Every structure is written in C-alpha cells, then in structure tokens.
Amino acid sequence: MKVRVHISLKPGVLDPQGRAVHHALEGLGFKGVEDVRIGRTISLTVADDTNDEQLDEMCRKLLANMVIEDYRIEKVEG
Amino acid sequence: MRAAVITFPGSNCDRDMVVAIERIGGTAPLRVWHGDTALPDGLDFIALPGGFSYGDYLRSGAMAANSPIMREVVKAAEAGVPVLGVCNGFQVLAESGLLPGALMRNRSQHFICRDALLRVENTDSVFTRGYEQGQTITIPVAHHDGNYFADAETLDRLEGEGRVAFRYTENYNGSQRDIAGILSASGNVLGMMPHPERAVDAAHGGTDGKVLFASILGLLEAA
C-alpha cells in the first residue's frame, strides 16, 4: 500500500521560509498571493495490512513534531 | 565524578565537550556511541553535544532522539542524573520529550555564528548555581535551527516555574520570549542553544562557560 503523509506547520506557527518564498513570488510580479506555507510530503510503501492506528502512531512518534506540526494521511490507490 | 559524552553520527562538538569537561573536572568523560544500548554505570553527568546528528534529516535532533542510547538517557534523566544538551543536543532533548517545545529554523533563515549575550534567569539549578541572578554572560552561538517555539501556555508555565535558565539580551533567532535555554520540571535537564564548552579557555575569547561546568561538576570554588 502506498501512503502519503502531508506535514504542515500548525496555524499560528511562524513560517519564515514560507514568508521568504511569498516575498520572492511578489518580486517576480505575481499578484494576489495572500499567504505561503511550506510543508513536506513523505511517501511510504507499507504492508497492505497496516492499519490507520499504526500509521497514526508513525506520524506522532517520528514523522511529525506535534509541538509545531499537523499531519494528514493520504492513502494512494495502486 | 563520572561524566559521559554521547556521540551521534554527525555530532561535531563532542570533542570540545570532552575537552571542556576534562579541563574543568580533571577527569576525562567516558565516550558513548549512539548505537550503544547501555550507559556506563554510576554516571553523575551526561552531555549531548552540538553538531548535525544524522545530517539533520527529517528535523534537527529527530533521528538522534530515537536512537538506542537515547532510551537510556531518558531513563537516566528520569532517575535524576543531570543531562546537558547543547545546540543539537538541545534539539535532541526537545525531540525526545525530555524538554518541552521545539527548535525551529531561525527567523532570519540564516545560520547564526557569533558571540551571544545571555542573561542568567535561574541560579537554583545544578547547572546555573554558580552564576548570579541577572548576570550577563557571553557564550557563542552557532546554529540554523535555534528559534525556540512553544505554545503560550507552555511558555507561561516555564516562566512561572523558573525554568527559563538563560535569555538572549538581543533576540538573534526569533525565539519565543528570547529563550536561550530551559530546564526540565525536575531541574536536572538543561537544553541550551549557546555553546558553553566554547567559552572555557582564554584562547576562546572568553571563559563564561566555565562556571556552568564547575557547577555541574561540583567544583565551583575552582572556577
């Protein structure tokens, strides 16, 4: 089974990297960009019988830092 | 005094830490590798050095926090052994849950390498008892991810319980409430971004870090 874990900074946590990219987009002349937040995607291939609870635990224990980050698990077909 | 310095793959301040402890304490600390599954018996002090453990993969300190030896360091900390984490060591302590909060990328996005002025906020701990309350000390910083973050409730609790050990007099990296170093609830774990082991010899340009080691090693009169 293929799984994608999307990790993003919690709302309210300052994202200096996102801010710098935001400025850069404006510098390139793109109008109307209101906000930029940068996260990461981790792609995993796991045994088909891996359950949601186990995936959740992987995220909480290692893949995301729950102090500053949220995560979303997406199961990819095929 | 039996001290140990833990080395992770990518640690690069472990030797500096060893030299500082040996110079000040008179006895060379034991060296412990990240893959070891046991700590030496009867340790009085454990130091987690700076560097880039596991190449800062995933998040600074995240991989090291899950290495075999850290399970033992957590147990030792819970049993009351003083544990000092400097720079990457602080990141490891935060990732391991021994200290609250997280160290994020510096607000400026830049790696900061300079002398930092710190205000001593706590003089009760085993690490800071040799300093004077409110004293300003100079300790070098060298980090990319030193921007301390915790939610407001955690920050209030840290301040209310006197667990902010050091604050920057000028906020170099964006840290919440200028925090440079914090203590655990029990007071025997200190995480700090500045490098006291780089301020123990006149040739370093300053010796304000000496008192911290002398405090831990029980040698205040010698400092």
Side-chain angles (χ1 to χ4, degrees), chain B residues 4-15 17-18 30-36 46-50 53-54 64 67 69 88:
Chain B
V5 174
I6 314 285
T7 299
F8 302 98
S11 296
N12 64 9
C13 303
D14 44 340
R15 184 183 172 279
M17 187 68 83
V18 166
L30 302 163
R31 308 291 299 266
V32 179
W33 181 237
H34 76 112
D36 291 350
I46 300 169
L48 273 52
S53 56
Y54 298 85
S67 63
I69 199 63
N88 189 225

Side-chain angles (χ1 to χ4, degrees), chain B:
Chain B
M1 169 63 62
R2 260 164 86 82
V5 174
I6 314 285
T7 299
F8 302 98
S11 296
N12 64 9
C13 303
D14 44 340
R15 184 183 172 279
D16 292 11
M17 187 68 83
V18 166
V19 169
I21 293 170
E22 183 169 6
R23 284 271 181 85
I24 295 162
T27 310
L30 302 163
R31 308 291 299 266
V32 179
W33 181 237
H34 76 112
D36 291 350
T37 49
L39 287 166
D41 289 334
L43 288 180
D44 304 301
F45 171 43
I46 300 169
L48 273 52
F52 301 86
S53 56
Y54 298 85
D56 281 349
Y57 292 167
L58 193 63
R59 295 176 305 275
S60 300
M63 309 300 290
N66 290 287
S67 63
I69 199 63
M70 278 309 294
R71 286 193 279 275
E72 302 306 310
V73 172
V74 169
K75 278 187 217 160
E78 285 168 356
V81 177
V83 178
L84 168 69
V86 168
C87 200
N88 189 225
F90 184 10
Q91 295 160 346
V92 174
L93 291 174
E95 282 282 347
S96 72
L98 280 174
L99 292 172
L103 282 312
M104 301 183 60
R105 183 53 45 101
N106 295 340
R107 187 174 47 193
S108 65
Q109 294 284 319
H110 294 293
F111 189 96
I112 300 170
C113 184
R114 55 168 296 161
D115 277 344
L117 290 175
L118 309 180
R119 194 168 55 247
V120 179
E121 299 282 357
N122 170 305
T123 53
D124 296 330
S125 79
V126 65
F127 308 96
T128 57
R129 60 189 173 186
Y131 294 109
E132 284 167 35
Q133 186 75 33
Q135 183 183 351
T136 301
I137 58 174
T138 304
I139 305 281
V141 290
H143 59 247
H144 211 163
D145 297 329
N147 178 353
Y148 182 74
F149 178 88
D151 59 35
E153 192 186 324
T154 303
L155 293 167
D156 288 345
R157 196 174 68 239
L158 286 172
E159 291 185 326
E161 294 173 358
R163 290 166 54 191
V164 176
F166 304 105
R167 275 186 228 267
Y168 304 106
T169 60
E170 181 192 334
N171 196 328
Y172 305 103
N173 56 20
S175 288
Q176 301 278 309
R177 304 192 193 176
D178 308 330
I179 287 173
I182 56 167
L183 292 155
S184 62
S186 46
N188 67 308
V189 181
L190 170 66
M192 59 191 294
M193 289 311 298
H195 286 268
E197 80 283 8
R198 293 188 192 174
V200 296
D201 188 297
H204 289 151
T207 57
D208 286 350
K210 249 179 146 170
V211 170
L212 189 141
F213 289 100
S215 301
I216 307 168
L217 300 171
L219 299 164
L220 277 178
E221 64 286 355

Side-chain angles (χ1 to χ4, degrees), chain A residues 1-6 41-56 58-59 71-78:
Chain A
M1 175 172 57
K2 291 198 185 300
V3 173
R4 278 196 210 114
V5 176
H6 301 275
T41 303
I42 300 174
S43 303
L44 299 98
T45 306
V46 297
D48 287 342
D49 60 356
T50 308
N51 64 35
D52 289 357
E53 206 173 304
Q54 290 167 315
L55 290 171
D56 225 41
M58 290 181 202
C59 292
Y71 64 88
R72 180 169 61 81
I73 296 166
E74 178 195 3
K75 290 179 186 162
V76 186
E77 295 304 316

Side-chain angles (χ1 to χ4, degrees), chain A residues 8-75:
Chain A
S8 53
L9 283 174
K10 284 185 194 290
V13 175
L14 180 72
D15 178 6
Q17 200 181 170
R19 188 175 281 189
V21 171
H22 190 179
H23 285 313
L25 286 172
E26 286 173 341
L28 288 167
F30 292 103
K31 306 277 181 217
V33 179
E34 285 179 14
D35 193 23
V36 178
R37 307 277 288 170
I38 293 179
R40 77 171 92 217
T41 303
I42 300 174
S43 303
L44 299 98
T45 306
V46 297
D48 287 342
D49 60 356
T50 308
N51 64 35
D52 289 357
E53 206 173 304
Q54 290 167 315
L55 290 171
D56 225 41
E57 203 180 347
M58 290 181 202
C59 292
R60 288 176 176 277
K61 279 198 171 167
L62 181 62
L63 302 181
N65 180 332
M66 301 308 294
V67 176
I68 47 173
E69 294 170 331
D70 289 327
Y71 64 88
R72 180 169 61 81
I73 296 166
E74 178 195 3
K75 290 179 186 162

